[in-house]
Amino acid sequence: MAAHSGHRQVAGWRRALRQLGVDLRSGEGEPALLLFAFLFLLLTFQISTETVRQSTFIDSLGAARLPWVYLLVAVTSYPFLLLYDRFVGRHRVEHLLVRSCWIVAALLLVFWVLMRFPWSWVAIVYYVFTAITYGLLNSQFWLFANHLFDPRQAKRLFGLVGAGALLGGILGGQIARLVSQLVGTSWVLLIAAALLAAATGLVRRAARFGLAESDDDGAIEGLERAQSGFRVLGRSRLLVSITVLVVLTLVVGQIVDLQFNWAVEQTTTTLDERTAFFGNFFSVMGVAAFFFQLLFTARIHRTLGIAFAMRVLPVTIAIGTVALFVTAGGMPRWLIAAALVLKIGESGLRYSLDQATRELLFLPVPSELRMRAKAFIDVFVQRGAKGLAALLLLPVTFGVMSAVQAGWISLVLVVAWLVVIGITAREYVGAFRSGLKGQTVETAIPVDLSDMTTLELLVESLGSSDSRQVLHSLDILVSNDRGRLVPPLLLYHDDPEVRRRTLAVLAKTERLDAMPLVERTLRDPDADVRAEAVRVLAGLQGTDATELMLPKLEEADPGVRAAAVACLANYGDEAMVDEASRVLLDLLRDADLEVRCEAAKAIGAVHEPRFQDHLIRLLYDPEREVVGEAIAAIRRRVARDGFNPLYVPTLISLLQNRRVRHEARGALVAFGEDALPAMVHFMGDPDEPLWVRRALPKAISAVDTPAAAEALLDGLEEAADSFQRRKLVEALGAARDGRALARQHLDRVGSEIAREAEAYLDRLAGLDALGLRRKGGLQGALVVWDGEQSPTLLDRLLGERSTDNLKNLFGLLALIYPAGEMHSAHRSLTSADKLQRSRSLEFLDNRLDTALKRDVFAVIDDCPLGEKLERARRRYGIERGGRRQVLRRLLRYEESSDPEAGTLAAAALYTVHIEQVEGLTDEIERLSGAEE
């Protein structure tokens, strides 16, 4: 009872979180909460230590010297990143994060000691240390989070995880304020070090889950990706515009930061007072950013658009800068209030509205370009922009202008900023248009559909002849609740999926005005479109679909009659079903193949098991088009209603029909594992046509499950036909679990390698008895015909079979060794170049395990034919025999399990006749008697 109550409580929490947009699933709760808690502690550490950083620097050196430290951070960051990039690839990401936390915590203790001395350089070193540390730990955390969750989990859970940062930022400021007032500013560092130490335990605990597959290369690709990002920018004018926006945002932000720190310096006196002020400020800024993000960001994007959203931050900074001018000149009491408004407006908007808007600007950029460009911006552009800001602010350091006068630089840059925003908006529209054509725009991301230009682009794309572009535009409009903009004229589009999707949109938006066009689609050549039209018409008219369709049974158009049959068979009463059955029989008996195709489409829209006997009869129709439609109908019925074993035997028999083999195989694969037992049975049935048995391995492989791979390995052990064995080996290699299964069962694969080796050597012994040395010889392991006598038909058949055995042998090796290596070795081994054959042999001699090497080298070793056959006698008991003895054995084909033994017997009989071989009269008489 308690367990049941606990499950209900957990389900209640999940429902509550889902209402907030967080879809938490089984097994994800603990790791997600651990990451939430870690990010909470990390941001608490960051904001508390940043508070100390700002207050200690101002107290020691003054705000006017901030440009020097800005420049120092920019200059030192890149060499540090290069060193870090070399180091990071040697450690697992969770170990790297834990060690980094401990190192930073230890260094915080060192700074706690150093801050007890009146050394100004400590504030500089501490500033650079924290600036680099914040980016480092945040980068490692998100790398670890991406290691822990796969992309689909990340989309669902990172909103919850990121909330920890908002709460941590608020708490961090208050910790700094309280600790500085109670015991002093430097003691904040001890609290921060303790927070990082506690966070390491959360990482170790979370690392145990390992929900996503590890990507050990991810840690070392970041800088390489960023370094290649510069080349990427040149491929997109939109990316160039975004980069310029980032530079302007950061440069102006640094100017605002200097002005704010100067205002704090002017209105506070002691270090602890400044620390408390900064602590309150960071908490207030966190709350402001949180509520602005929650209340306004989405509404601005939805109602005012991206272009407006981009202008909010620069306009706010311009207003705040003017307010700072006014208060600094005539209202000094209001100076700190104006500085607070300016800084909160800049930082709050930059981390909420502006950041979200900038992410939307990347929407039309292809994902690979986007990743490289963002990495380049994060690693190089941001640091370079801060360095540029430092250079622009050096006049403040040298006393050429005041911190307030630096606002004139801000205003000039704001003007440039607004100009770049206009250019970026145009580039966004152009890139968006191109992205729709290339399907690089992600439909899940909200798009600025309030902008008329963007809407015009989407509507324009709906008229494209490219169905992919039309479908993509439809998805964007529907996902953004703009389905009423979809024109009903799309029902005339050439692509049936566009027509079907348009019908669904018209139904969802209740477009009664489109009913005449919807009625016309009852004659649509595609059955799915017709079925959707029936559903939509019934919904729009508010009537029973069966009443609507009953009169349509008498229509002259066979497509309309077929749509009516499908509707009434599914939803009508017994009398309606009988009437639909009568009309269907008329359609099936029609001499016109187009009419029978319509009947097949109608049956495909009917639920199982009704009309299944008619559908099976259609599989035997003499016209390929009708059979193809019948197979498609089976796939639709099974996909909708579940597996029906009645169809499987007929579909398997169609595998020998070259005209519909592909369609039949596709239907069998669509059935999945349910069809495996039947396919395995027929693959091993000696009474089944040979070409059906040879076609089944590919179909089984495409099912792509562990059971399918196991069935192929079992079939390989039972198969005697060399061609079918090759198909089985190829299918095992193509199956997702085939190679893993082969490596798990090395003994079974080794037995099959020995079997191929024995068959090869047996055929080689037969060729030798038939006179191979006079007609040709061996080129490595390959039989070649370059002797003084011409080979007979039997010689060539045996030579081809030995080549098949060799291919199968290397195909089996490719299951347990890297496939590329084995295919290259086989290619070199069958080359006319003796040096290549030698190198291949040397490679295989060192690569293969001892257990396999004896069988493989019994075939491929470059030794004289006589020596090779002697080894075959000792290892496999293969006797060379004489010519007459080999022919006698081949003529007795009924004693062999090889399905092609009859072909070899016919070739042997022809050889006996042409070459007048004596001593085989009894065999010829026996064969003659058997024929009679």
Side-chain angles (χ1 to χ4, degrees), residues 637-652:
R637 286 167 67 109
V638 171
R640 182 182 60 242
D641 304 322
F643 177 66
N644 186 340
L646 196 64
Y647 301 125
V648 175
T650 307
L651 288 171
I652 289 176

Side-chain angles (χ1 to χ4, degrees), residues 74-96:
V75 170
T76 57
S77 292
Y78 182 60
F80 175 80
L81 283 172
L82 288 177
L83 293 173
Y84 173 72
D85 189 58
R86 293 186 178 184
F87 171 79
V88 71
R90 305 173 187 173
H91 302 274
R92 291 178 59 86
V93 62
E94 63 268 26
H95 297 160
L96 187 68

Side-chain angles (χ1 to χ4, degrees), residues 330-407:
M331 294 181 288
R333 291 184 179 181
W334 294 94
L335 177 64
I336 192 63
L340 275 171
V341 171
L342 176 61
K343 181 61 177 175
I344 290 176
E346 184 272 331
S347 296
L349 289 173
R350 179 152 58 93
Y351 291 116
S352 56
L353 176 64
D354 194 66
Q355 178 66 36
T357 304
R358 192 158 56 246
E359 292 301 319
L360 290 181
L361 288 175
F362 284 100
L363 175 69
V365 181
S367 59
E368 177 59 24
L369 297 185
R370 185 189 314 150
M371 292 172 64
R372 294 184 179 276
K374 292 181 75 172
F376 176 74
I377 290 171
D378 291 343
V379 174
F380 296 108
V381 173
Q382 291 195 15
R383 288 162 178 81
K386 290 180 179 180
L388 175 61
L391 294 174
L392 291 175
L393 289 171
L394 283 179
V396 177
T397 303
F398 293 128
V400 177
M401 67 169 61
S402 67
V404 175
Q405 290 172 336

Side-chain angles (χ1 to χ4, degrees), residues 628-688:
E629 289 293 347
I631 294 173
I634 289 173
R635 294 189 63 168
R636 287 197 296 271
R637 286 167 67 109
V638 171
R640 182 182 60 242
D641 304 322
F643 177 66
N644 186 340
L646 196 64
Y647 301 125
V648 175
T650 307
L651 288 171
I652 289 176
S653 69
L654 289 175
L655 291 175
Q656 63 184 325
N657 186 340
R658 291 181 178 274
R659 299 189 303 162
V660 293
R661 178 186 300 168
H662 178 75
E663 291 85 351
R665 183 188 293 122
L668 290 169
V669 172
F671 293 162
E673 282 197 3
D674 291 327
L676 270 182
M679 288 195 285
V680 171
H681 167 75
F682 286 110
M683 184 176 68
D685 186 357
D687 296 328
E688 192 67 18

